[in-house]
């Protein structure tokens, strides 16, 4: 009996070793362990074994079975591994082929620049406020210290609807509207479309966007304005950005300034972008004129404030090095897809 | 405004800085430099040389060989082809290793000049080059004595000698600075004003001209009287008389200064007028006194329809708001704009009437606009001049007339000044200036600044007297700005407002807009931007009926042209135009969206502000159809949490859309927007072909409907039961209506309806279509049994029968 079992074991192990595929292994399994398999036959012949030897023989059969099953499993795994690796060899792809993309739209560069700007100011505690694009002369001019016949009205080349109603030439009327509500303190930015009767060319458009900022509270100083603009410039253009304020004149602020930032392309060394000066003009600003505060119902003896206005298209053109403003309004997909 | 630094130095003698330093400092103190030109930037080693001998070139007929005295022991030899030189002439010569700005007969612009080296001309050595005025970077316009073609020869009276610096001798060693002067600083549109700024900027003494007219006897009142009939338009009128006028060229120094300003020399009289206009910022006018009738000047408004010939020979039509200078009989000049032909100075003039006046800036601005005449004088008056400047200027001009021997000035001035303007005072409030600026500047430093600017401090009452030329100083903030400018904006500290904390936020409607942008872009639509104004032809292009309310658009009274003359009432035109641009450029599969306002007037003409309605407009061509566009809309409504309440009806009647492929988007009776295929005729009107799909959604409505309340409903624990229904119905029946019936009958247990097939064709009868749905039923608390689902489906079939819908066999 012993010998018989050993023979079965050896033969089977040899066959397993030779087996080349899963089918062969299955055949072995059936022929040895199956219902009519050799090992099963041994068990069936137990009746011929002396009763006292039966447990021993049973144990031997089980041992053999365990060894064979283990060998079968190992072989199966091995063969599967080989099969899989061969399959994978056939499945090699060229990973340098382009990826498959879902058709996606692109945000307009002006909008991206606006969102970046808004993010900076919202983070600094500013509320975004909008105002009408068709506006009363009162808000666009009169309350901003630009009375009738003021030359600034000519300078701004206004589109009129009626004598008193016009297309706003700046986002500053939102300042007046917010101040008029009398709610203090004020810390707002107001983005929006503005209009001036400029013929279309590479740097002009009769319709463009401004972002206006206004802070009014007790004890607001020109130094605060400088600090705020510096923080904005560093958040928006990069942390090493420097600012330079040059005295200027706007009817609704006093003192007023134009602000240059150190060129973000060359870092101030001078390049084509900054026309060699190292500086780029970016916005106008100033302390809110006491007359404007007063006309809007705020006591200039108690409150002071600052305001600034940024030409959004200018920022967009600079940021993305776009050389022609007309591209922004053409909406050619080949342009839009680059953002 | 241009000023040569050399002219500023005449009044700020200690001004001695490098051009770059000057430009940077004056910009930071408020006079923004737009541009500056160093006139001798490309001129090197150029000396005055005398031609001692001049011989024919041995091998060239057109060349001569000259021995030149350059003030050194050794003479240098120069070969030239110039024909206008002779022995003894003094000429500018560029020496070996030097540089000139340009080359004769060569149009090329040499950024960095042209180096000159010794060389041989036809075998004879030449150690430099004689220069023409163009080679020195200037032109005959500013050096009229230069020959048309040839070398510049110094005139005999120029007082130069061999070896002198020729650049200096010609006044080319100068820097001309161009400023952008802001409209409030009228005083800075003059050399004196800029000199005062420069002196204050560099903290140097300022020495304005001290005017002294000697006079030649007589009494001006015997020659002329002045009457101002419209004092609202003429604050002051000063007149002086000059007799025995001798016209001739003005001296070189005056010509050079004018040349640096870009003004060509004419004759001594004209040059003096221009010179004083630049120096004082005060325009003046000269009349031939013999043409002035009645020995009087009357300043009054013109009459409507009057005709007047100005000194350029043009006839002008006047109106009653144009101010005129008249004599006893007729009009002789348009005040502040241009003189008349009838009274102008001619070569035969003997006695002249000089005018320096102060006219109302606004009136001159409007008049010159109406007349279409922009003159140097009107440009100055427009800014609103200081009336006290007029008298100083006219006296300065008369002083120069005497100095230049141009005539004899009659004693006295006729000065008609109905309401003299005097200086005013403002309190000196150093604490307030510092509080506004956030600085700690000393009182003494502030007072020093004010002093340099010509403001006088009265210690007794701590006030400042403001001179009339500083018309921009009227309140504390104005004075704070003066302090800040000269303290230096750069030196002001940078702080942040230490005020009450405020919450930074975006308004709700903008958050909805952001979501709309995201949805559009996820679906392949790119952001577009178009103008708010457009052509009234748009209505016809979009096939809007004649009586459409949308044709009631707001009109711009002064548009850039008809194409930009109305405020859009429909948002489609801009986007379709952009699609057409892409189409013409052969871009494939274009999808665009825009968020922008339309403008709906409450009444026309406008008496109050119109409604500005933010619209989301989508447009596409190429891949995709009606349902691709509808899918985008649905996604937006899902994101905003009200998709289930939205319905689509085909009866919107949008004339610009395909009548069979359009839908009004509703929530109940509320119109959210519309979508559809663009009408083929509209597509053609925009120069395109094929199918174009658009959608327009009203942002205010979707913002109002947006609902972000979400409650977790649990994940289904019990299995679903599904049933498919294939139905045959008339083609005209809307799937939406069928779905409504299914939903109604299915009740709470009906979890989902999915349309999976729509078929028209041979398998179904003519005029019919087959529509197949997959219905999913589920209960939250149990596994559904057949006998629960069966009756619901039966009820559906029964209800659909009433609509003449049958199960497909």
């Amino acid at each position: 009996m012993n010998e018989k079992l050993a023979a079965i074991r050896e033969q089977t192990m040899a066959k397993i070793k030779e087996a080349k595929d899963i089918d062969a292994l299955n055949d072995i399994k059936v022929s040895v362990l199956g219902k009519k398999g050799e090992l099963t036959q041994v068990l069936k012949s137990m009746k011929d074994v002396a009763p006292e030897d039966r447990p021993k023989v049973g144990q031997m059969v089980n041992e053999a079975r365990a060894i064979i099953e283990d060998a079968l499993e190992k072989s199966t795994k091995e063969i599967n591994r080989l099969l899989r690796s061969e399959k994978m060899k056939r499945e090699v792809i060229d990973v340098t082929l382009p990826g498959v993309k879902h058709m996606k739209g692109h945000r307009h560069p002006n909008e991206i620049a606006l969102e970046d700007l808004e993010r900076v100011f919202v983070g600094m505690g500013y509320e975004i406020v909008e105002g009408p694009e068709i506006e009363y002369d009162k808000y666009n001019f009169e309350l901003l210290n630009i009375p009738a016949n003021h030359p600034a009205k000519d300078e701004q080349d206004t589109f009129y609807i009626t004598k008193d109603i016009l297309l706003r030439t700046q986002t500053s009327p939102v300042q007046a509207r917010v101040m008029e509500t009398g709610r203090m303190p004020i810390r707002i930015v107001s983005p929006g479309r503005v209009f001036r009767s400029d013929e279309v060319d590479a740097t002009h458009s009769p319709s463009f966007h401004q972002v206006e900022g206004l802070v009014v509270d007790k004890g607001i100083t020109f130094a605060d304005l400088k600090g705020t603009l510096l923080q904005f410039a560093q958040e928006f253009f990069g942390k090493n950005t420097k600012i330079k304020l040059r005295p200027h004149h706007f009817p609704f602020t006093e003192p007023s300034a134009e602000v240059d930032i150190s060129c973000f392309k060359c870092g101030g060394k001078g390049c084509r972008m900054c026309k060699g000066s190292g500086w780029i003009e970016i916005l106008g600003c100033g302390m809110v004129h006491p007359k404007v505060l007063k006309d809007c119902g705020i006591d200039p003896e108690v409150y002071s404030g600052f305001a600034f206005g940024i030409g959004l298209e200018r920022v967009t053109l600079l940021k993305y090095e776009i050389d022609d403003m007309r591209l922004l309004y053409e909406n050619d997909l080949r342009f839009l897809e680059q953002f | 405004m241009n000023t040569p630094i050399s002219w500023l130095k005449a009044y700020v003698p200690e001004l001695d800085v490098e051009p770059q330093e000057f430009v940077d400092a004056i910009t930071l103190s408020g006079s923004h430099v737009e541009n500056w030109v160093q006139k001798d930037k490309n001129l090197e080693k150029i000396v005055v040389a005398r031609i001692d001998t001049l011989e024919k070139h041995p091998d060239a007929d057109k060349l001569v060989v000259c021995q030149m005295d350059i003030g050194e022991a050794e003479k240098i030899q120069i070969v030239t082809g110039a024909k206008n030189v002779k022995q003894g002439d003094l000429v500018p010569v560029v020496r070996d290793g030097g540089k000139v700005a340009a080359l004769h007969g060569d149009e090329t612009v040499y950024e960095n000049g042209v180096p000159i080296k010794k060389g041989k001309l036809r075998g004879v050595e030449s150690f430099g080059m004689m220069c023409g005025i163009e080679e020195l970077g200037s032109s005959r316009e500013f050096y009229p004595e230069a020959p048309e073609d040839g070398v510049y020869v110094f005139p005999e009276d120029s007082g130069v000698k061999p070896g002198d610096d020729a650049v200096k001798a010609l006044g080319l060693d100068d820097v001309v600075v161009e400023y952008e002067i802001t409209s409030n600083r009228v005083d800075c549109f003059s050399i004196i004003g800029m000199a005062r700024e420069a002196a204050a900027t560099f903290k140097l003494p300022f020495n304005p001209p001290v005017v002294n007219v000697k006079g030649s006897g007589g009494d001006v009142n015997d020659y002329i009287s002045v009457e101002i009939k419209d004092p609202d338009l003429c604050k002051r009128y000063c007149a002086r008389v000059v007799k025995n006028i001798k016209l001739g060229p003005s001296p070189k120094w005056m010509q050079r200064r004018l040349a640096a300003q870009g003004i060509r020399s004419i004759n001594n009289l004209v040059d003096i007028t221009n010179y004083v206009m630049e120096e004082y910022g005060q325009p003046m006018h000269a009349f031939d006194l013999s043409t002035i009738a009645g020995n009087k000047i009357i300043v009054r408004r013109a009459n409507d329809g009057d005709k007047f010939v100005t000194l350029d020979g043009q006839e002008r039509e006047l109106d009653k708001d144009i101010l005129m200078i008249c004599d006893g009989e007729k009009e002789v000049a348009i005040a502040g704009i241009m003189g008349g032909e009838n009274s102008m100075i001619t070569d035969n003039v003997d006695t002249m009437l000089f005018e320096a006046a102060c006219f109302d800036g606004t009136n001159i601005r409007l008049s010159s606009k109406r007349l279409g005449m922009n003159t140097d004088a009107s440009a100055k008056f427009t800014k609103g001049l200081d009336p006290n400047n007029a008298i100083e200027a006219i006296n300065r001009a008369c002083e120069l007339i005497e100095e230049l021997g141009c005539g004899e000035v009659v004693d006295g001035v006729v000065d008609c000044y109905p309401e003299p303007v005097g200086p005013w005072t403002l309190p000196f409030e150093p604490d307030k200036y510092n509080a506004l600026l956030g600085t700690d500047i000393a009182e003494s430093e502030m007072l020093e600044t004010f002093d340099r600017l010509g403001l006088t401090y009265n210690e007794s009452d701590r006030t400042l007297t403001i001179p009339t030329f500083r018309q921009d100083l009227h309140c504390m903030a104005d004075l704070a700005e003066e302090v800040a400018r000269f303290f230096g904006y750069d030196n002001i500290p940078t702080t942040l407002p230490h005020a009450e904390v405020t919450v930074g936020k975006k308004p709700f409607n903008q958050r909805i807009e952001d979501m709309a942008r995201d949805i559009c872009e996820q679906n392949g639509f790119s952001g577009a931007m178009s103008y708010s104004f457009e052509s009234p032809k748009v209505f016809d292009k979009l096939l809007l009926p004649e009586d459409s309310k949308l044709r009631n658009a707001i009109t711009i009274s002064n548009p850039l042209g008809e194409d930009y003359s109305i405020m859009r009432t429909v948002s489609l035109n801009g986007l379709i135009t952009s699609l057409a641009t892409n189409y013409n450029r052969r871009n494939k599969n274009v999808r665009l969206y825009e968020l922008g306002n339309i403008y709906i007037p409450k009444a026309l003409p406008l008496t109050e502000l119109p409604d500005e309605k933010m619209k989301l407009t989508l447009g596409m061509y190429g891949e995709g159809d009606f349902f691709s566009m509808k899918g985008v809309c649905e996604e937006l409504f899902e994101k905003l949490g009200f998709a289930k309440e939205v319905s689509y009806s085909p009866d919107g009647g949008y004339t610009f859309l395909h009548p069979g492929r359009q839908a009004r988007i509703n929530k109940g009776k509320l119109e959210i927007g519309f979508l559809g295929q663009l009408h083929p005729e509209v597509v053609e009107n925009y120069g395109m072909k094929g199918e174009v799909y658009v959608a327009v959604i009203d942002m205010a409505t979707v913002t109002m409907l947006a609902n972000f309340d979400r409650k977790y409903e649990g994940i289904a624990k019990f299995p679903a039961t599904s049933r498919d229904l294939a139905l045959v119905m008339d083609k005209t029946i809307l799937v939406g209506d069928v779905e409504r019936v299914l939903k109604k009958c299915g009740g709470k247990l009906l979890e989902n309806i999915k349309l999976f097939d729509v078929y028209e064709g041979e398998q179904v009868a003519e005029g019919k279509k087959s529509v197949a749905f997959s219905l999913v039923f589920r209960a939250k608390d149990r596994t559904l049994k057949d006998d629960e689902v069966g009756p619901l489906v039966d009820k559906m079939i029964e209800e659909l029968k009433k609509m003449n819908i049958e199960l497909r066999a």
Side-chain angles (χ1 to χ4, degrees), chain B residues 727-735 737-738 758-760 764-771 800-806:
Chain B
L727 302 167
V728 179
M729 62 190 81
D730 283 350
K731 268 186 181 178
T732 51
I733 291 177
L734 302 176
V735 169
D737 291 341
V738 177
V758 179
Y759 173 79
E760 290 171 29
V764 291
E766 182 80 16
K768 298 271 182 186
K769 64 182 171 186
S770 159
V771 179
L800 291 170
K801 262 186 188 158
K802 291 179 191 165
M803 295 164 71
N804 211 9
I805 298 174
E806 299 287 344

Side-chain angles (χ1 to χ4, degrees), chain B residues 473-718:
Chain B
L473 300 182
H474 286 286
C475 66
M476 183 278 289
D478 294 332
L479 294 175
E481 181 174 67
E482 297 307 289
V483 170
R485 288 198 299 132
F486 293 99
F487 177 70
Y489 279 17
D490 274 359
N491 299 321
I492 293 176
T494 51
T495 56
L496 285 175
H498 47 275
E500 214 176 295
V501 171
T502 47
V503 178
K505 60 185 169 194
K506 252 189 167 182
F508 186 65
N509 66 310
Q510 282 197 18
R511 281 166 47 206
I512 303 290
E513 286 170 18
D514 287 347
M515 287 178 184
R517 283 190 183 95
D518 288 341
I519 298 274
C520 290
E521 286 159 22
Q522 284 156 15
N523 283 287
F525 288 78
S526 290
M529 200 161 77
S530 59
Y531 288 145
S532 308
F533 28 63
E534 52 197 22
S535 164
K537 289 186 190 124
V538 166
F539 302 133
D540 292 336
K541 273 173 108 173
L542 291 174
L543 311 177
L544 291 184
E546 284 303 325
D547 59 351
S548 169
K549 276 187 186 165
L550 295 173
R551 284 183 181 259
N552 296 333
I554 298 161
T555 310
I556 299 170
S557 65
N558 57 334
L560 277 185
E562 209 209 348
D563 284 352
Y564 305 103
S565 63
I566 59 151
M567 301 304 289
R568 62 182 177 191
T569 56
V570 197
S571 63
L572 282 169
N573 173 61
L575 206 75
I576 302 174
T577 305
S578 294
L579 287 176
T581 304
N582 279 284
Y583 181 88
N584 289 328
R585 295 176 184 178
R586 298 179 198 284
N587 294 336
K588 293 202 170 75
N589 296 328
V590 175
R591 295 182 169 196
L592 298 174
Y593 78 90
E594 182 184 10
L595 272 162
N597 281 332
I598 58 164
Y599 310 84
I600 307 295
K602 291 177 183 129
L604 281 176
L606 281 194
T607 49
E608 57 181 317
L609 298 187
D611 285 329
E612 294 181 9
K613 296 186 176 200
M614 181 61 75
K615 296 284 177 182
L616 170 64
T617 310
L618 299 102
M620 66 180 209
Y621 67 78
E623 271 170 29
D625 58 13
F626 179 91
F627 299 100
S628 324
M629 187 59 98
K630 189 176 173 189
V632 183
C633 300
E634 286 173 336
E635 261 189 56
L636 175 64
F637 305 145
E638 274 162 26
K639 178 93 184 173
L640 300 182
F642 61 87
K644 285 188 180 150
E645 300 149 56
V646 175
S647 65
Y648 299 83
S649 56
D651 51 1
Y654 305 102
T655 52
F656 41 82
L657 297 179
H658 186 305
R661 295 182 175 183
Q662 56 167 272
R664 184 182 190 267
I665 309 173
N666 316 294
K667 196 246 167 194
K669 282 185 178 157
L670 199 63
E671 179 176 352
I672 295 172
F674 58 81
L675 82 152
Q677 183 184 335
L678 213 54
H679 196 292
E681 194 179 329
V682 176
V683 174
E684 193 182 289
N685 288 344
Y686 283 88
M688 289 189 281
K689 287 199 175 87
E691 295 176 6
V692 176
Y693 293 92
V694 295
V696 175
I697 290 167
D698 185 70
M699 289 309 289
T701 309
V702 297
T703 303
M704 183 186 77
L705 294 173
N707 177 0
F708 298 108
D709 285 343
R710 304 279 196 274
K711 296 282 185 289
Y712 174 61
E713 286 180 342
I715 294 164
K717 287 187 188 120
F718 296 91

Side-chain angles (χ1 to χ4, degrees), chain A residues 105 107 133 149 160 224 226, chain B residues 365 492 495 518 521 557 599:
Chain A
R107 201 153 286 203
E133 293 168 8
N149 284 328
Y160 281 92
D224 294 339
K226 268 186 80 177
Chain B
R365 179 164 58 90
I492 293 176
T495 56
D518 288 341
E521 286 159 22
S557 65
Y599 310 84

Side-chain angles (χ1 to χ4, degrees), chain A residues 193-212:
Chain A
R193 222 172 245 234
V194 301
F195 308 87
R196 290 185 197 178
S197 61
D198 283 325
E199 292 286 347
V200 182
D201 65 22
T203 53
H204 292 90
S205 165
S207 159
F208 57 101
H209 296 74
Q210 279 189 344
V211 180
E212 187 90 5

Side-chain angles (χ1 to χ4, degrees), chain A residues 25-37:
Chain A
L25 286 174
N26 279 339
D27 288 350
I28 295 167
K29 195 175 178 183
V30 172
S31 69
V32 180
L33 305 177
K35 273 183 189 167
K36 288 178 183 167

Side-chain angles (χ1 to χ4, degrees), chain B residues 313-328:
Chain B
Q314 301 273 316
E315 187 181 79
R316 316 281 179 174
E317 187 167 328
L318 309 175
D319 61 56
K320 64 174 171 29
D321 290 318
I322 294 174
L323 190 70
M324 299 301 291
I325 310 301
C326 310
D327 63 12

